[in-house]
Structures are given as C-alpha cells and as structure tokens.
Amino acid sequence: MRIRITLSNKMIQKLNKKASDAEFNGDIKALKRVQAILMINEGNRFKTIAYFLKISKETIRLWLKNFLLLGINFLKYQKSSGRPPKLTKKQ
C-alpha cells in the first residue's frame, strides 16, 4: 500500500531531531516510529518500510494513524498495563 503524505520542512526537522535523540538515548521504538513516518513521506511503500524496519504493515498503518491524529506526540510510548494478576497479594 502506498499513501502519500507531505510534511513541512519544519516537521521533518523536528522528526529528524527526535530520531537523533532516540538513537542517542537507545530508544529503538521511537526511532523506528520516526523512521517509518519519514519513509512514508519519501514515498516508500508499506511493504518496503515493513521489511526495512522488521515490523508489520499493520503496525506502520497504526503509527501513521496516530501521527496524523496526535502529531509529534505519537512518539510517547505508553506501556500497556497487561493482563491483571489472578492471585491476590496475600496469595
């Protein structure tokens, strides 16, 4: 699937800054998210991006949706709460 987005130069600069910060801090998840958005902006297909970043096309679609809805704030990774424990603290 190919979706065209056009980012402003200012947004590209912000994303590149976030990518270098993420790389410096070892935040691979944020780095992959930024790379995916930048690659979409360059006109790459989801299949190509998925292969390059070793993620699914569905993940790319979700990241793009979140980027379009939340802007640069989509990079803030929120740990999922996970399954609640079956045992109580006393057990």
Side-chain angles (χ1 to χ4, degrees), residues 63-78:
W63 288 350
L64 177 59
K65 180 188 93 171
N66 287 333
F67 174 71
L68 294 174
L69 291 174
L70 304 172
I72 200 95
N73 293 327
F74 92 104
L75 292 172
K76 294 179 181 163
Y77 177 74
Q78 297 175 353

Side-chain angles (χ1 to χ4, degrees), residues 16-75:
N16 283 325
K17 173 77 169 103
K18 292 284 187 181
S20 57
D21 290 347
E23 187 174 12
F24 180 78
N25 295 325
D27 188 355
I28 303 302
K29 291 179 182 181
L31 180 60
K32 283 186 174 186
R33 290 176 185 202
V34 172
Q35 286 176 328
I37 298 302
L38 290 172
M39 290 176 79
I40 292 169
N41 183 60
E42 292 169 358
N44 291 296
R45 293 182 178 270
F46 282 20
K47 183 177 181 180
T48 305
I49 299 167
Y51 178 78
F52 179 76
L53 297 177
K54 295 178 178 50
I55 54 176
S56 70
K57 292 184 285 186
E58 180 65 15
T59 299
I60 297 167
R61 189 190 67 75
L62 290 173
W63 288 350
L64 177 59
K65 180 188 93 171
N66 287 333
F67 174 71
L68 294 174
L69 291 174
L70 304 172
I72 200 95
N73 293 327
F74 92 104
L75 292 172

